[in-house]
């Protein structure tokens, strides 16, 4: 799968610039593919489960920037935000820094990938 984001690109996310690092660029296709599988099942996945499923080199609690870049990738593709289905194991909800309404975004995501 070709990404819309480019390696080394600087992306404005939540009023800050985030660079598409080599690690992010290599991780995003695996994360995207796994989250599409989860969305097709109308489910959510925890940060830890996602981390283990795709063997990420990020710490589960440090995946925010990667998911921000994934959100931008989805936006560029005209798709609902895949990051809305990645949740905290303890709360069952997205992280505090998620920039939208995860419930309505999930419903749009589930419809999109049905």
């Amino acid at each position: 799968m070709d990404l819309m984001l480019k390696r080394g690109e600087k992306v404005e996310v939540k009023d800050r610039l985030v660079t598409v690092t080599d690690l992010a660029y290599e991780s995003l296709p695996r994360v995207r593919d796994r989250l599409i599988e989860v969305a097709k099942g109308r489910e959510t996945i925890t940060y830890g489960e996602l981390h283990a499923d795709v063997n990420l080199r990020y710490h589960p609690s440090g995946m925010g920037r990667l998911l921000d870049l994934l959100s931008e990738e989805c936006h560029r593709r005209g798709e609902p935000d895949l990051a809305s289905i990645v949740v905290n194991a303890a709360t069952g909800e997205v992280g505090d820094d998620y920039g939208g309404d995860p419930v309505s975004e999930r419903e749009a995501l589930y419809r999109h990938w049905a």
Side-chain angles (χ1 to χ4, degrees):
M1 176 212 46
D2 291 331
L3 293 175
M4 305 289 288
L5 294 169
K6 302 297 178 210
R7 190 184 304 260
E9 179 180 357
K10 296 193 182 309
V11 178
E12 187 171 339
V13 177
K14 301 174 190 159
D15 298 323
R16 68 179 189 258
L17 285 179
V18 176
T19 301
V20 181
T21 63
D22 289 341
L23 179 57
Y25 190 82
E26 293 162 8
S27 301
L28 281 167
R30 294 192 325 269
V31 170
R32 180 178 160 74
D33 288 348
R34 179 63 183 117
L35 292 180
I36 289 170
E37 290 175 10
V38 173
K40 286 179 178 179
R42 298 186 60 84
E43 299 173 345
T44 59
I45 188 170
T46 68
Y47 292 94
E49 290 168 335
L50 178 60
H51 180 269
D53 287 355
V54 296
N55 195 27
L56 289 175
R57 290 183 11 207
Y58 291 85
H59 188 276
S61 65
M63 293 172 37
R65 284 190 180 170
L66 180 66
L67 292 175
D68 287 343
L69 290 173
L70 178 64
S71 296
E72 177 62 21
E73 178 73 19
C74 291
H75 173 74
R76 290 183 184 188
R77 291 174 177 273
E79 300 170 349
D81 188 3
L82 286 162
S84 67
I85 59 175
V86 182
V87 299
N88 179 292
T91 66
E93 276 305 324
V94 296
D96 293 337
D97 200 30
Y98 184 79
D101 176 12
V103 175
S104 61
E105 196 67 23
R106 280 183 203 133
E107 284 307 313
L109 184 66
Y110 296 152
R111 281 192 308 274
H112 180 82
W113 292 106

